[in-house]
Amino acid sequence: MLGFRVHADLLEALVLDDGILPVTIGVFGDWGSGKSSIMRMMEAKLNALEDDTLCLYFNGWVFEGYDDAKAALLDSILKAFTDERRFGPAVKAKVTQLFKSVNWMRVMGLGLKNVALPLILAHMGEPTSVLAAVSGALPAAAGVVNKIGGALGVGKKKKDDEAGADEEEKTDFSSLLQETPEEKTMLVREFRQNFEELLAETNITRLVVLIDDLDRCSPDRLIENLEAIKLFVNVPKTAFIIGADPRIVKHAIEYRYKSRITADEPTNADARTERISDQFVRDYLEKLIQIPYYLPRLSDSEVETYLSLLFCEKHLTTATHGRVLSEFERFRTANRYGAFGFADLSTLLTPEEAQQLKLNAPLVTSLAPVITEGLKGNPRQIKRFLNSFTLRTRLAGVAKFTSFRLDVLGKLMVLEYAEPGLFRKIYDWQAGQEGEPRELTELESLAGEGNIDEIKNKHGAHWTSERVVRWLKVEPLLAEVDLRDYFWISRDQLAGSISGASLIPPLIKTLFRELMEYGSETILRASASKATQLKDNEQTILLEMMVQEIAKRPANIKGHRVLIDLVITGMPDALAAYKRALANINHADIPYSLHNTLRLNEGKTPSLKELYGVYDPSSRIGKAIAGSKK
């Protein structure tokens, strides 16, 4: 329905070109942009080929909780060879040997090389003393010891059945001495060599590994997967396709290698360090990924087409919807830039089906522009938006609202997602004016006239961004519309902090955690600088998370510090978000020492002085500020 078959076909052509193998391709796009859909299409097409292509789909997020994500990927690749019926005993034997190499890597990944393993070897004659030694020397490692035997498949003493002994089996680690590799690099080199021999033994033309959902993983897990892929770089007949949000990948590299990035630089050389950081990340990615492929954002016409097809999916039978998709394919071949709408389906529908879709035609046409802008043309967000829209439409029907307009509901929901703060502002206005806020009427009039300066002077800069002005101007206009019913069915979200029409992207979750766990002023300022580079709607989500954090833990100085630093680094709506947070907490809980931060930074960020009139003068923070003025 997105017309993404063209992207899948292009990537398939690349991996089927033996002249460019081995290759690693990065399929890059925002969270929810359609990467998984493309990779699933590739998997289906490649597995249907009758040549000797072996294709494996690996979801990195599924193995997030495993002890070693790197080993999980390698295990999955090797298991694909084990499960393949066309391979004989010789191949399976080589796979078994490779599994043993992976298990050694897993042991090293558990941190046993310098702690548990030497202890084990030192006490190899007495397994019981091993457990005691490890438990005494490093209690956290005691539970790890038993993993070694299982990971390597060695060391289990058999029960003496003849003697009828029923004691538990004991682990014999004596065989580990012969298995211990002298160097980790030797083990990696051996693994690569054995894997190349395995590919040659199978006689397959190519191995294609599709790695998805890395942008859902924590930075450490993401890097572990990238490190595993590096084992295969330049191994003949291999193609790796990695699907991820490139910003999350870059952030993970910076997070993992920050000590190496800044090792040769003085800590106060912020600009120089930032340049080194960017260069390090670029070099890392360029060495690993030979072909980056960026998915384009959906255009207005593509959003309109997608909405039309989603409505068809909901309201038509499976058979009719299949004919609609076939017609869409023919349309797209002839007209790649136009919108495929309900008018193009007239010959395919029954009169009843045509009437049902006719009701949604004006809605799709009017909402496509604001959805494209508000949801950034993101397919997943569009689909979730439509699901939430459908749910609320049904709620309006159950509540038996009269004169309920779907286009009004849709327009308000776009603002709810894109600008939740402004959505609440309209709610506050209409609550005291019987559902018809005069402020909104004035805003729509000024936006229609292009009088942006007056909007800013009367209502603030938040209403003057390009997407908000566009939202104000698009039909339907909300002047003289009673909005009470529309906000009634949205009341579940008015009590929350993040719009129900969205999920929180992993990048925002990761950055929020990084901000709240800062270890120094330098780290906090660097993380705040990253936050200012987010897209507008992502900044809105992050700020709402911070407001919620302060509401839950007003005495935690970190929440206050993060929002103040976002103001200092220039995030446009950070100051308004902090004022909103302060309006909902007891100021007696605000840490007293916060006034030092404000005073130290008010010179270069004068807008911080606006907070002095917000703090309760009877609170400790208020008194501290009043005292420092003197």
Side-chain angles (χ1 to χ4, degrees):
M1 290 191 288
L2 291 166
F4 275 14
R5 178 75 256 176
V6 64
H7 302 300
D9 287 343
L10 173 60
L11 295 170
E12 287 161 12
L14 288 175
V15 300
L16 293 175
D17 183 352
D18 296 334
I20 69 169
L21 298 182
V23 67
T24 305
I25 302 171
V27 181
F28 293 143
D30 291 347
W31 185 71
S33 60
K35 302 181 295 295
S36 296
S37 298
I38 289 172
M39 298 177 82
R40 285 299 190 185
M41 283 190 276
M42 291 183 65
E43 179 191 22
K45 181 77 170 289
L46 292 171
N47 282 332
L49 295 177
E50 295 183 357
D51 66 356
D52 293 319
T53 297
L54 180 60
C55 181
L56 165 68
Y57 179 92
F58 177 83
N59 188 309
W61 192 42
V62 170
F63 295 93
E64 173 77 12
Y66 280 54
D67 61 331
D68 190 335
K70 183 189 300 184
L73 173 58
L74 299 180
D75 277 348
S76 296
I77 293 173
L78 295 176
K79 190 174 185 301
F81 285 88
T82 301
D83 295 341
E84 188 61 46
R85 294 181 178 180
R86 59 184 135 163
F87 300 149
V91 170
K92 303 295 175 69
K94 286 187 176 294
V95 171
T96 300
Q97 184 61 37
L98 283 165
F99 267 123
K100 185 176 290 188
S101 296
V102 173
N103 288 332
W104 266 113
M105 295 178 191
R106 178 179 282 112
V107 169
M108 291 180 173
L110 289 169
L112 303 174
K113 184 175 181 180
N114 298 318
V115 180
L117 194 56
L119 286 170
I120 290 168
L121 296 177
H123 296 272
M124 51 180 279
E126 192 62 55
T128 303
S129 64
V130 175
L131 290 171
V134 176
S135 299
L138 186 62
V144 171
V145 175
N146 286 327
K147 292 187 180 182
I148 299 175
L152 298 178
V154 299
K156 286 290 186 181
K157 285 186 177 180
K158 295 183 179 180
K159 296 180 182 178
D160 185 355
D161 294 332
E162 294 181 2
D166 59 357
E167 73 271 11
E168 292 185 3
E169 297 179 57
K170 296 181 179 179
T171 303
D172 178 12
F173 295 101
S174 59
S175 61
L176 292 184
L177 185 62
Q178 288 76 28
E179 301 285 352
T180 305
E182 296 181 1
E183 296 291 340
K184 188 174 182 178
T185 53
M186 182 185 73
L187 182 62
V188 171
R189 191 181 305 115
E190 179 183 333
F191 179 89
R192 285 173 58 93
Q193 181 179 340
N194 289 341
F195 191 79
E196 288 187 36
E197 294 174 359
L198 171 66
L199 290 178
E201 184 76 28
T202 62
N203 293 319
I204 64 170
T205 307
R206 64 192 65 82
L207 168 67
V208 180
V209 183
L210 306 168
I211 302 178
D212 197 11
D213 275 346
L214 285 189
D215 47 13
R216 291 177 180 263
C217 298
S218 66
D220 286 331
R221 289 306 194 210
L222 192 155
I223 293 298
E224 282 183 20
N225 280 295
L226 295 182
E227 298 277 336
I229 295 167
K230 284 167 61 178
L231 288 174
F232 297 96
V233 173
N234 295 326
V235 172
K237 301 193 290 187
T238 60
F240 284 79
I241 294 89
I242 304 169
D245 183 331
R247 297 173 302 166
I248 295 180
V249 176
K250 292 175 182 177
H251 173 74
I253 296 170
E254 291 175 350
Y255 178 86
R256 179 67 171 265
Y257 296 106
K258 54 181 178 285
S259 60
R260 185 180 304 178
I261 290 171
T262 60
D264 300 327
E265 291 298 313
T267 57
N268 60 345
D270 293 336
R272 174 64 175 157
T273 299
E274 183 176 351
R275 287 197 297 272
I276 291 176
S277 173
D278 291 343
Q279 186 61 49
F280 181 90
V281 172
R282 281 197 299 271
D283 289 347
Y284 186 103
L285 286 175
E286 287 174 2
K287 289 177 181 177
L288 181 65
I289 297 175
Q290 290 83 48
I291 303 177
Y293 186 71
Y294 292 85
L295 296 183
R297 168 181 155 182
L298 298 184
S299 65
D300 284 2
S301 63
E302 288 172 322
V303 170
E304 184 174 341
T305 297
Y306 188 44
L307 284 171
S308 298
L309 293 174
L310 287 173
F311 274 109
C312 288
E313 185 179 43
K314 285 182 177 292
H315 297 297
L316 302 180
T317 64
T318 302
T320 303
H321 188 242
R323 292 196 298 272
V324 167
L325 292 179
S326 297
E327 182 63 26
F328 168 54
E329 288 293 331
R330 287 191 289 271
F331 173 89
R332 188 171 178 82
T333 301
N335 183 358
R336 188 167 296 279
Y337 307 106
F340 180 76
F342 299 135
D344 300 290
L345 306 177
S346 56
T347 60
L348 303 177
L349 309 177
T350 66
E352 292 77 14
E353 290 172 332
Q355 181 61 29
Q356 176 66 43
L357 294 182
K358 185 178 180 180
L359 298 174
N360 295 305
L363 177 66
V364 170
T365 303
S366 63
L367 285 183
V370 288
I371 287 179
T372 304
E373 181 64 25
L375 306 186
K376 300 298 180 184
N378 185 289
R380 181 179 297 159
Q381 299 293 2
I382 292 170
K383 193 166 186 177
R384 288 184 57 81
F385 173 88
L386 185 57
N387 289 338
S388 182
F389 175 83
T390 301
L391 181 63
R392 291 187 182 179
T393 300
R394 291 178 179 175
L395 178 58
V398 172
K400 298 181 180 179
F401 288 152
T402 59
S403 304
F404 191 85
R405 295 172 52 184
L406 298 183
D407 55 350
V408 171
L409 172 63
K411 181 173 180 177
L412 282 170
M413 284 183 61
V414 170
L415 186 69
E416 178 186 352
Y417 169 77
E419 293 285 351
L422 301 186
F423 177 76
R424 289 193 191 87
K425 178 63 72 176
I426 295 177
Y427 168 77
D428 292 337
W429 287 340
Q430 63 85 37
Q433 301 179 56
E434 297 185 348
E436 298 183 19
R438 58 181 176 276
E439 295 89 348
L440 184 56
T441 300
E442 183 179 34
L443 282 165
E444 288 182 339
S445 175
L446 292 173
E449 297 168 359
N451 200 334
I452 308 303
D453 290 337
E454 191 170 352
I455 292 177
K456 182 177 181 179
N457 293 333
K458 287 189 174 183
H459 300 283
H462 310 301
W463 292 97
T464 60
S465 68
E466 182 179 347
R467 65 175 176 176
V468 173
V469 171
R470 187 176 181 181
W471 180 87
L472 288 168
K473 292 166 64 175
V474 76
E475 294 288 343
L477 297 180
L478 304 182
E480 300 182 3
V481 176
D482 187 343
L483 301 178
R484 285 176 290 186
D485 288 347
Y486 302 95
F487 280 103
W488 185 86
I489 64 173
S490 305
R491 65 194 186 286
D492 59 324
Q493 298 309 326
L494 290 166
S497 62
I498 300 295
S499 170
S502 70
L503 288 171
I504 300 174
L507 175 64
I508 310 302
K509 292 180 182 178
T510 301
L511 190 52
F512 172 78
R513 183 170 61 248
E514 181 180 316
L515 285 165
M516 289 303 300
E517 296 175 357
Y518 70 87
S520 68
E521 297 289 330
T522 302
I523 293 174
L524 173 59
R525 195 59 50 85
S527 299
S529 179
K530 288 181 194 174
T532 61
Q533 299 170 23
L534 296 171
K535 298 174 183 177
D536 291 345
N537 62 318
E538 293 171 332
Q539 290 185 16
T540 298
I541 294 173
L542 178 64
L543 290 174
E544 291 298 325
M545 292 176 71
M546 294 306 311
V547 170
Q548 184 181 25
E549 174 64 25
I550 290 177
K552 289 191 294 187
R553 286 174 276 273
N556 183 357
I557 194 171
K558 285 194 170 183
H560 299 270
R561 282 299 316 275
V562 168
L563 270 177
I564 289 173
D565 262 74
L566 291 176
V567 175
I568 294 170
T569 51
M571 184 175 286
D573 296 329
L575 184 61
Y578 188 39
K579 288 180 179 178
R580 190 165 67 253
L582 293 175
N584 297 308
I585 63 172
N586 185 345
H587 288 204
D589 296 327
I590 301 175
Y592 168 83
S593 59
L594 194 64
H595 81 280
N596 292 323
T597 300
L598 295 168
R599 287 302 182 192
L600 287 172
N601 291 282
E602 66 177 21
K604 58 183 178 181
T605 312
S607 60
L608 290 176
K609 295 180 181 179
E610 295 181 29
L611 296 172
Y612 297 164
V614 178
Y615 292 116
D616 183 351
S618 65
S619 65
R620 293 185 67 202
I621 181 70
K623 291 177 180 178
I625 290 173
S628 61
K629 287 181 180 178
K630 300 176 182 179

